């Protein structure tokens, strides 16, 4: 689904301003580093920008900080995930704290591979 120009501009801006957990995860995902799987970062889809997107598996990987636990943000995320799901995109949400923890990150990467391959 083609995103509006406004969403493309927001995606460009977000690529320049990645959070530390996003930077760390991107280093693991970029250039097929994760078992040859290809991901895009800050990928625009409709009105939304996905943190990371695996097009072949139609998988969005979202890195969520603590603000995603707030009631208003949780409702927004639910609506967003539903909209993406209606378009065949599965959403995997990962706590930023798990990306920052080396041991937890290993498990996160295994989960991403399994989800991208449809397991």
């Amino acid at each position: 689904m083609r995103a509006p120009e406004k969403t493309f501009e927001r995606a460009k801006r977000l690529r320049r301003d990645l959070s530390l957990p996003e930077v760390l995860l991107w280093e693991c995902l970029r250039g097929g580093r994760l078992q040859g799987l290809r991901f895009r970062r800050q990928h625009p889809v409709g009105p939304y920008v996905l943190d990371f997107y695996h097009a072949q598996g139609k998988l969005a990987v979202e890195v969520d900080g603590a603000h995603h636990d707030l009631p208003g943000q949780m409702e927004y995320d639910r609506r967003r995930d539903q909209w993406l799901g209606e378009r065949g995109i599965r959403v995997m949400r990962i706590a930023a704290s798990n990306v920052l923890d080396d041991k937890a990150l290993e498990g996160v990467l295994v989960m991403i591979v399994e989800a991208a391959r449809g397991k």
Side-chain angles (χ1 to χ4, degrees), residues 68-87:
H68 285 269
D69 293 335
L70 299 174
Q73 186 64 45
M74 289 172 69
E75 177 59 24
Y76 173 83
D77 289 344
R78 187 196 63 73
R79 284 192 319 270
R80 180 180 187 267
D81 292 355
Q82 180 180 345
W83 187 91
L84 292 166
E86 290 168 357
R87 283 143 187 89

Side-chain angles (χ1 to χ4, degrees), residues 34-37 54 57 59 90 112-119:
L34 184 62
Q35 297 190 19
L37 298 170
H54 175 59
L59 174 68
R90 294 172 296 130
I112 291 172
V113 169
E114 289 176 355
R117 294 195 170 140
K119 295 182 181 178

Side-chain angles (χ1 to χ4, degrees), residues 3 9 21 25 30 57 65 74 80 118:
E9 292 302 318
L25 186 56
R30 68 185 297 181
M74 289 172 69
R80 180 180 187 267

Side-chain angles (χ1 to χ4, degrees), residues 29 39-40 43 45 49-55 57-63 80-81 84-85 88-94 112 115-116:
L29 300 178
F39 284 86
R40 300 172 187 160
H43 179 71
V45 175
V49 178
L50 310 177
D51 288 346
F52 304 101
Y53 183 60
H54 175 59
K58 295 190 94 173
L59 174 68
V61 178
E62 296 293 309
V63 178
R80 180 180 187 267
D81 292 355
L84 292 166
I89 298 172
R90 294 172 296 130
V91 179
M92 172 184 261
R93 295 192 167 276
I94 298 169
I112 291 172

